[in-house]
mmCIF file with all atom_site columns, all heavy atoms in Angstrom:
data_model
loop_
_atom_site.group_PDB
_atom_site.id
_atom_site.type_symbol
_atom_site.label_atom_id
_atom_site.label_alt_id
_atom_site.label_comp_id
_atom_site.label_asym_id
_atom_site.label_entity_id
_atom_site.label_seq_id
_atom_site.pdbx_PDB_ins_code
_atom_site.Cartn_x
_atom_site.Cartn_y
_atom_site.Cartn_z
_atom_site.occupancy
_atom_site.B_iso_or_equiv
_atom_site.pdbx_formal_charge
_atom_site.auth_seq_id
_atom_site.auth_comp_id
_atom_site.auth_asym_id
_atom_site.auth_atom_id
_atom_site.pdbx_PDB_model_num
ATOM 1  N N   . LYS A 1 44 ? -24.106 -19.073 -5.889  1.00 0.00 ? 44 LYS A N   1
ATOM 2  C CA  . LYS A 1 44 ? -24.796 -19.851 -6.984  1.00 0.00 ? 44 LYS A CA  1
ATOM 3  C C   . LYS A 1 44 ? -25.687 -20.912 -6.372  1.00 0.00 ? 44 LYS A C   1
ATOM 4  O O   . LYS A 1 44 ? -26.755 -21.223 -6.878  1.00 0.00 ? 44 LYS A O   1
ATOM 5  C CB  . LYS A 1 44 ? -23.815 -20.414 -7.980  1.00 0.00 ? 44 LYS A CB  1
ATOM 6  C CG  . LYS A 1 44 ? -22.992 -19.390 -8.725  1.00 0.00 ? 44 LYS A CG  1
ATOM 7  C CD  . LYS A 1 44 ? -23.858 -18.647 -9.682  1.00 0.00 ? 44 LYS A CD  1
ATOM 8  C CE  . LYS A 1 44 ? -22.948 -17.704 -10.476 1.00 0.00 ? 44 LYS A CE  1
ATOM 9  N NZ  . LYS A 1 44 ? -23.632 -16.566 -11.068 1.00 0.00 ? 44 LYS A NZ  1
ATOM 10 N N   . SER A 1 45 ? -25.158 -21.594 -5.342  1.00 0.00 ? 45 SER A N   1
ATOM 11 C CA  . SER A 1 45 ? -25.961 -22.714 -4.765  1.00 0.00 ? 45 SER A CA  1
ATOM 12 C C   . SER A 1 45 ? -27.128 -22.176 -4.018  1.00 0.00 ? 45 SER A C   1
ATOM 13 O O   . SER A 1 45 ? -28.178 -22.863 -3.828  1.00 0.00 ? 45 SER A O   1
ATOM 14 C CB  . SER A 1 45 ? -25.113 -23.572 -3.769  1.00 0.00 ? 45 SER A CB  1
ATOM 15 O OG  . SER A 1 45 ? -24.677 -22.786 -2.690  1.00 0.00 ? 45 SER A OG  1
ATOM 16 N N   . LEU A 1 46 ? -27.095 -20.903 -3.562  1.00 0.00 ? 46 LEU A N   1
ATOM 17 C CA  . LEU A 1 46 ? -28.250 -20.255 -2.891  1.00 0.00 ? 46 LEU A CA  1
ATOM 18 C C   . LEU A 1 46 ? -29.245 -19.622 -3.943  1.00 0.00 ? 46 LEU A C   1
ATOM 19 O O   . LEU A 1 46 ? -30.270 -19.171 -3.560  1.00 0.00 ? 46 LEU A O   1
ATOM 20 C CB  . LEU A 1 46 ? -27.771 -19.203 -1.952  1.00 0.00 ? 46 LEU A CB  1
ATOM 21 C CG  . LEU A 1 46 ? -27.090 -19.694 -0.672  1.00 0.00 ? 46 LEU A CG  1
ATOM 22 C CD1 . LEU A 1 46 ? -26.522 -18.499 0.096   1.00 0.00 ? 46 LEU A CD1 1
ATOM 23 C CD2 . LEU A 1 46 ? -28.007 -20.498 0.197   1.00 0.00 ? 46 LEU A CD2 1
ATOM 24 N N   . GLY A 1 47 ? -28.819 -19.609 -5.195  1.00 0.00 ? 47 GLY A N   1
ATOM 25 C CA  . GLY A 1 47 ? -29.629 -19.013 -6.263  1.00 0.00 ? 47 GLY A CA  1
ATOM 26 C C   . GLY A 1 47 ? -29.508 -17.555 -6.375  1.00 0.00 ? 47 GLY A C   1
ATOM 27 O O   . GLY A 1 47 ? -30.375 -16.870 -6.901  1.00 0.00 ? 47 GLY A O   1
ATOM 28 N N   . VAL A 1 48 ? -28.400 -16.997 -5.892  1.00 0.00 ? 48 VAL A N   1
ATOM 29 C CA  . VAL A 1 48 ? -28.156 -15.528 -5.947  1.00 0.00 ? 48 VAL A CA  1
ATOM 30 C C   . VAL A 1 48 ? -27.580 -15.242 -7.335  1.00 0.00 ? 48 VAL A C   1
ATOM 31 O O   . VAL A 1 48 ? -26.627 -15.780 -7.787  1.00 0.00 ? 48 VAL A O   1
ATOM 32 C CB  . VAL A 1 48 ? -27.237 -15.058 -4.883  1.00 0.00 ? 48 VAL A CB  1
ATOM 33 C CG1 . VAL A 1 48 ? -26.875 -13.591 -4.986  1.00 0.00 ? 48 VAL A CG1 1
ATOM 34 C CG2 . VAL A 1 48 ? -27.794 -15.353 -3.515  1.00 0.00 ? 48 VAL A CG2 1
ATOM 35 N N   . ASN A 1 49 ? -28.229 -14.322 -8.033  1.00 0.00 ? 49 ASN A N   1
ATOM 36 C CA  . ASN A 1 49 ? -27.769 -13.932 -9.447  1.00 0.00 ? 49 ASN A CA  1
ATOM 37 C C   . ASN A 1 49 ? -27.404 -12.480 -9.538  1.00 0.00 ? 49 ASN A C   1
ATOM 38 O O   . ASN A 1 49 ? -26.972 -12.070 -10.637 1.00 0.00 ? 49 ASN A O   1
ATOM 39 C CB  . ASN A 1 49 ? -28.898 -14.193 -10.422 1.00 0.00 ? 49 ASN A CB  1
ATOM 40 C CG  . ASN A 1 49 ? -29.233 -15.688 -10.444 1.00 0.00 ? 49 ASN A CG  1
ATOM 41 O OD1 . ASN A 1 49 ? -28.453 -16.517 -10.054 1.00 0.00 ? 49 ASN A OD1 1
ATOM 42 N ND2 . ASN A 1 49 ? -30.442 -15.995 -10.921 1.00 0.00 ? 49 ASN A ND2 1
ATOM 43 N N   . CYS A 1 50 ? -27.524 -11.692 -8.468  1.00 0.00 ? 50 CYS A N   1
ATOM 44 C CA  . CYS A 1 50 ? -27.217 -10.246 -8.640  1.00 0.00 ? 50 CYS A CA  1
ATOM 45 C C   . CYS A 1 50 ? -26.294 -9.814  -7.525  1.00 0.00 ? 50 CYS A C   1
ATOM 46 O O   . CYS A 1 50 ? -26.163 -10.408 -6.467  1.00 0.00 ? 50 CYS A O   1
ATOM 47 C CB  . CYS A 1 50 ? -28.534 -9.469  -8.589  1.00 0.00 ? 50 CYS A CB  1
ATOM 48 S SG  . CYS A 1 50 ? -29.462 -9.630  -7.071  1.00 0.00 ? 50 CYS A SG  1
ATOM 49 N N   . TYR A 1 51 ? -25.582 -8.710  -7.809  1.00 0.00 ? 51 TYR A N   1
ATOM 50 C CA  . TYR A 1 51 ? -24.716 -8.066  -6.800  1.00 0.00 ? 51 TYR A CA  1
ATOM 51 C C   . TYR A 1 51 ? -23.629 -8.983  -6.224  1.00 0.00 ? 51 TYR A C   1
ATOM 52 O O   . TYR A 1 51 ? -23.247 -8.876  -5.097  1.00 0.00 ? 51 TYR A O   1
ATOM 53 C CB  . TYR A 1 51 ? -25.533 -7.421  -5.709  1.00 0.00 ? 51 TYR A CB  1
ATOM 54 C CG  . TYR A 1 51 ? -26.489 -6.410  -6.141  1.00 0.00 ? 51 TYR A CG  1
ATOM 55 C CD1 . TYR A 1 51 ? -27.816 -6.674  -6.195  1.00 0.00 ? 51 TYR A CD1 1
ATOM 56 C CD2 . TYR A 1 51 ? -26.044 -5.187  -6.544  1.00 0.00 ? 51 TYR A CD2 1
ATOM 57 C CE1 . TYR A 1 51 ? -28.714 -5.716  -6.620  1.00 0.00 ? 51 TYR A CE1 1
ATOM 58 C CE2 . TYR A 1 51 ? -26.945 -4.226  -7.015  1.00 0.00 ? 51 TYR A CE2 1
ATOM 59 C CZ  . TYR A 1 51 ? -28.302 -4.515  -7.020  1.00 0.00 ? 51 TYR A CZ  1
ATOM 60 O OH  . TYR A 1 51 ? -29.186 -3.590  -7.427  1.00 0.00 ? 51 TYR A OH  1
#
Side-chain angles (χ1 to χ4, degrees):
K44 296 291 184 202
S45 66
L46 291 174
V48 175
N49 296 339
C50 60
Y51 299 105

